[in-house]
Amino acid sequence: MRDTHSNSLGWLLDQELGSVEGVEYAVLMSSDGLLQARTQTIGQEEAEKLAAVTASLRAAGKAWDEHVGGKGMCQLLIESQGRIGLTTAAAKNSMLSVVTTGPESDVGLITHHMVRLATRLGHELEVAERRPAAEGGPAT
């Protein structure tokens, strides 16, 4: 299992989002839910679960957008009693997901930092699309 915090993007998530008030942890993942990087405040296994759940939510959000005649999904926000989850497109085929420390967190401030990171470093956050080995992609 590869460590997704000590890679080149894990420190970037810590630097750009880990210090923002109200952010408990953040993960970067491919659109299909493969974890790419995580902040040090979430363990590897939990980050992988969050990436998979977020990919499912993204699929539901895209279906909702199509149903209502939207023009493409931009962000997801999930509010529960104890936390808020924010997900946005980070770059081609990648998403950035943040879980807040509580429901009183400043969603506007956190979203601002997420979008700023994606805009400033989008090319570094891009994830290659996975394809089955039969189509010329690596076997996964």
Side-chain angles (χ1 to χ4, degrees), residues 126-138:
E126 188 172 312
V127 176
E129 187 173 348
R130 293 189 297 163
R131 296 180 300 157
E135 294 178 17

Side-chain angles (χ1 to χ4, degrees), residues 55-135:
S56 297
L57 293 170
R58 176 183 178 268
K62 285 178 69 173
W64 179 86
D65 179 64
E66 290 172 11
H67 176 75
V68 298
K71 296 181 180 176
M73 191 186 68
C74 299
Q75 293 183 328
L76 290 168
L77 180 144
I78 297 177
E79 184 176 2
S80 66
Q81 293 293 326
R83 302 278 190 275
I84 297 173
L86 303 164
T87 301
T88 190
K92 183 178 180 183
N93 197 36
S94 69
M95 301 180 297
L96 184 58
S97 189
V98 168
V99 174
T100 68
T101 56
E104 68 288 338
S105 298
D106 187 342
V107 173
L109 175 68
I110 295 168
T111 301
H112 168 76
H113 283 275
M114 291 172 73
V115 171
R116 187 178 82 177
L117 175 62
T119 301
R120 196 178 103 213
L121 297 168
H123 62 285
E124 292 180 44
L125 303 177
E126 188 172 312
V127 176
E129 187 173 348
R130 293 189 297 163
R131 296 180 300 157
E135 294 178 17

Side-chain angles (χ1 to χ4, degrees), residues 41-56:
T41 51
I42 184 172
Q44 181 72 25
E45 191 172 319
E46 288 300 311
E48 289 175 0
K49 289 177 188 176
L50 178 61
V53 168
T54 300
S56 297

